[in-house]
Amino acid sequence: MAQISVNTSPYLDQRPGTSGLRKKVSVFQQTNYLENFVQSTINAIGDCKGQTLVVGGDGRFYNETAIQIILKMAAANGFKHVWVGQNGILSTPAASCVIRKFNAFGGIILSASHNPAGINGDFGIKFNGRNGGPAVEQITEAIYSNSQNISEYKICTEADIALDQIGQQTLAGMTVEVIDPVRDYADLMAEIFDFEKIRQLLSRDDFNMRFDAMHAVTGPYATELLERQLGAKPGTVINGIPLPDFGQGHPDPNLTYAEELVAEMFSDNPPDFGAASDGDGDRNMILGGNFFVTPSDSLAILAANADFVPAYQNGLKGIARSMPTSQAADRVAEALGIEAHETPTGWKFFGNLLDADRATLCGEESFGTGSNHIREKDGLWAVLFWLNILAERRQSVAEIVDQHWQKFGRNFYTRHDYESIPLEKAQQLVQHVESQLSALTGQVLAGRKVKYADNFSYHDPVDHSTSQNQGLRIGFEDGARIIYRLSGTGTEGATLRVYIESFEANPAKLHQDPQLALSDLIELADSLAAITDTTGRTAPTVIT
């Protein structure tokens, strides 16, 4: 075993957050770049001698190369046992599942989520803690701090591990156990849902579904669960083979990028149910025949129907949503008499609530939904949840959503993404809005009176920490909202996300097109931020 001394200047130009560090593959391929980050992480999490670790990723280009480096560094730093997915594969939800099942010290997950892959694409890495959830802020700050003055890393010089062979191998005295990446996760799903009811649904001649794995990590999981264990028709899973470049696609499960699935679901003879997941398997999109379910509505509907699922039949402790997610779930929580939590964007904030048993279901408008079964959002779990509801209610997706709106009202909602804006212009947009906030309260804009205008701060009810500057909010007295946030999930420029919402209780107005129902607020949002004037963009890159 060798300890290599590295003369390096500070290299991290961003703090790794909940999503870890994401850069172009070429950046990670720089000499010592990945090694410096991994050693900075190991230094941040404390004494690793005798500890256990889970390692895996979404199969994108550079995944296996990075895993071999990580394993050799884990051995050199004193780890005792590492579980790694066969061929380096572990979806993010499955990694959280395995960490929790084996009570591992933590896990290193390799993914850039929904970002494009390939030799010219993106790569990412993050650390998850013992609870299976993303590293807390103290850890991510320590990683960044360590990266600014690292002078050496430890790595052993033994041969690579055979990642294609299930079973135990030894690396410099450390046990490396290559595991079936699907088995533990599939076993957990069978404990949560009524598989027999779902089998009955999928065996019906008059029911068809389609799941688009987008050539990303959920292909093997969906094929095993949906087709092999639950009896869905062969071909139900499309684009099911993970590819290093995700088939040159953009594995973001939304109406823009999941175009093959969307075309089929909005055809003359669509399947009854459609779904897609993203690069690392933690996001989901839900569709009915000629019908799209917004992620915000999906969270609310899952909560309202949770008693159909065996794991949740004893009731929910609470529902948590990210601040930009629509307030639809709050109405369900109120009706159920349980807590409703509004958190900043980032799954780590849900982790505290889940660990404290103050929430059972949680979700983000960015197509992420989950529960207390793990500490990550979980795309395939959400799909199985919907199938369980469909099996019990024996109605179409559209009928279930419509009845939900009739009971709770509808939160019309849209998200407009302006991608790859030069960082300076993106910051200028946000600063322009923020400079107006203090003067907006009490004004009447687009026929609505402003109730509050602020930069969202969150006071964690569990650890009592405060997170500030989490998004610019303009809230109206009738419940409508406009929210602006810059996203850090891309690797080029910045993405401005604009969230627009209004509530409608009138049954006669529940089926309007959201873009039309929100048109006055959409125009106001552009005007307040001067988006067109500043960027020259006349339309968003993606509309959800």
Side-chain angles (χ1 to χ4, degrees):
M1 181 169 62
Q3 176 173 308
I4 300 177
S5 295
V6 181
N7 294 318
T8 180
S9 58
Y11 75 98
L12 271 191
D13 58 1
Q14 69 181 68
R15 285 174 163 78
T18 299
S19 302
L21 181 69
R22 295 179 187 174
K23 295 286 184 180
K24 290 295 183 185
V25 169
S26 58
V27 174
F28 277 97
Q29 288 177 320
Q30 293 177 94
T31 302
N32 298 329
Y33 189 91
L34 174 66
E35 292 87 340
N36 285 350
F37 181 84
V38 173
Q39 190 65 56
S40 296
T41 300
I42 291 173
N43 292 345
I45 61 180
D47 186 5
C48 298
K49 288 183 171 54
Q51 298 288 0
T52 58
L53 190 68
V54 172
V55 178
D58 59 17
R60 66 179 59 229
F61 183 83
Y62 198 60
N63 188 67
E64 290 195 36
T65 300
I67 286 175
Q68 297 289 356
I69 292 170
I70 291 166
L71 292 176
K72 292 174 185 179
M73 293 186 68
N77 279 277
F79 278 95
K80 176 182 67 175
H81 193 115
V82 176
W83 292 274
V84 59
Q86 187 180 26
N87 298 315
I89 294 291
L90 270 181
S91 73
T92 293
S96 182
C97 167
V98 173
I99 291 168
R100 293 172 64 80
K101 178 175 180 176
F102 295 114
N103 193 29
F105 186 62
I108 294 178
I109 301 174
L110 303 172
S111 173
S113 188
H114 53 287
N115 293 12
I119 191 169
N120 297 314
D122 298 341
F123 193 77
I125 181 171
K126 70 173 184 174
F127 177 77
N128 278 33
R130 190 183 292 276
N131 74 343
V136 297
E137 194 168 301
Q138 296 93 315
I139 295 294
T140 57
E141 282 295 316
I143 293 171
Y144 178 76
S145 177
N146 287 328
S147 77
Q148 300 303 290
N149 53 39
I150 187 171
S151 61
E152 65 178 23
Y153 61 83
K154 298 177 182 178
I155 190 167
C156 73
T157 56
E158 295 193 12
D160 287 355
I161 287 293
L163 292 175
D164 61 336
Q165 298 178 16
I166 289 179
Q168 293 189 352
Q169 302 170 55
T170 301
L171 180 66
M174 180 182 76
T175 300
V176 178
E177 188 168 350
V178 179
I179 61 173
D180 180 334
V182 177
R183 184 187 61 198
D184 297 309
Y185 176 84
D187 289 347
L188 179 60
M189 294 301 103
E191 294 174 7
I192 295 172
F193 299 104
D194 189 335
F195 271 26
E196 184 54 38
K197 282 281 179 65
I198 298 174
R199 286 190 194 97
Q200 292 173 13
L201 172 72
L202 294 176
S203 67
R204 283 168 36 193
D205 292 336
D206 62 344
F207 185 87
N208 289 289
M209 75 165 288
R210 190 74 70 239
F211 180 90
D212 189 351
M214 304 186 83
H215 284 305
V217 78
T218 47
Y221 295 85
T223 300
E224 172 63 27
L225 281 162
L226 297 175
E227 294 191 7
R228 297 195 186 111
Q229 295 195 24
L230 294 170
K233 301 171 181 67
T236 291
V237 178
I238 60 173
N239 301 318
I241 299 174
L243 299 175
D245 64 351
F246 299 147
Q248 299 185 350
H250 190 156
D252 195 352
N254 60 42
L255 294 171
T256 298
Y257 293 123
E259 54 187 329
E260 180 180 352
L261 175 68
V262 170
E264 184 175 10
M265 295 305 299
F266 285 84
S267 66
D268 292 336
N269 187 30
D272 302 280
F273 180 68
S277 192
D278 70 328
D280 66 332
D282 63 357
R283 300 182 185 219
N284 72 92
M285 178 171 66
I286 302 297
L287 300 165
N290 292 288
F291 196 90
F292 167 64
V293 184
T294 71
S296 297
D297 276 344
S298 182
L299 172 63
I301 291 165
L302 297 185
N305 292 273
D307 55 352
F308 288 125
V309 176
Y312 311 114
Q313 285 178 345
N314 292 330
L316 307 178
K317 295 293 186 180
I319 307 170
R321 63 167 177 82
S322 64
M323 181 271 288
T325 301
S326 96
Q327 300 162 97
D330 300 7
R331 302 180 187 282
V332 176
E334 182 179 8
L336 295 175
I338 59 177
E339 294 184 5
H341 301 275
E342 182 182 47
T343 75
T345 298
W347 213 259
K348 63 183 178 182
F349 296 102
F350 295 143
N352 275 352
L353 296 167
L354 295 169
D355 287 344
D357 204 24
R358 295 191 58 177
T360 307
L361 301 186
C362 40
E364 297 179 333
E365 50 70 38
S366 53
F367 295 84
T369 328
S371 86
N372 58 354
H373 68 291
I374 56 173
R375 294 298 183 267
E376 288 277 4
K377 45 188 178 277
D378 190 346
L380 196 50
W381 165 90
V383 173
L384 293 169
F385 204 135
W386 266 95
L387 287 171
N388 207 149
I389 294 170
L390 290 167
E392 291 281 1
R393 292 188 54 167
R394 301 181 71 86
Q395 295 172 293
S396 70
V397 171
E399 287 170 338
I400 289 171
V401 175
D402 182 65
Q403 287 186 13
H404 183 88
W405 290 341
Q406 295 292 336
K407 180 177 181 179
F408 294 99
R410 181 178 183 182
N411 286 75
F412 281 102
Y413 184 84
T414 189
R415 187 182 92 187
H416 289 195
D417 290 359
Y418 298 84
E419 297 178 349
S420 301
I421 299 175
L423 183 58
E424 184 177 342
K425 285 188 178 293
Q427 291 173 337
Q428 180 182 337
L429 288 168
V430 171
Q431 290 166 2
H432 180 63
V433 175
E434 191 164 20
S435 69
Q436 304 173 67
L437 291 180
S438 60
L440 290 181
T441 301
Q443 286 193 33
V444 176
L445 303 174
R448 295 175 168 88
K449 189 173 183 179
V450 177
K451 182 178 180 180
Y452 61 86
D454 61 14
N455 196 332
F456 178 56
S457 292
Y458 176 66
H459 303 284
D460 194 302
V462 179
D463 65 16
H464 307 295
S465 63
T466 298
S467 300
Q468 297 180 325
N469 303 319
Q470 296 296 316
L472 306 182
R473 306 185 303 173
I474 301 168
F476 299 87
E477 289 189 347
D478 63 358
R481 298 190 304 164
I482 296 173
I483 297 163
Y484 302 88
R485 288 185 66 252
L486 291 184
S487 171
T489 59
T491 59
E492 292 183 349
T495 296
L496 174 69
R497 302 199 196 282
V498 185
Y499 313 84
I500 302 157
E501 171 183 17
S502 70
F503 177 70
E504 181 59 67
N506 185 343
K509 297 182 178 180
L510 295 177
H511 296 91
Q512 302 175 74
D513 179 276
Q515 303 305 311
L516 293 176
L518 297 167
S519 59
D520 58 337
L521 291 171
I522 291 171
E523 184 177 346
L524 175 61
D526 181 285
S527 175
L528 287 173
I531 295 173
T532 301
D533 293 344
T534 303
T535 67
R537 307 276 185 94
T538 57
T541 312
V542 177
I543 295 176
T544 303

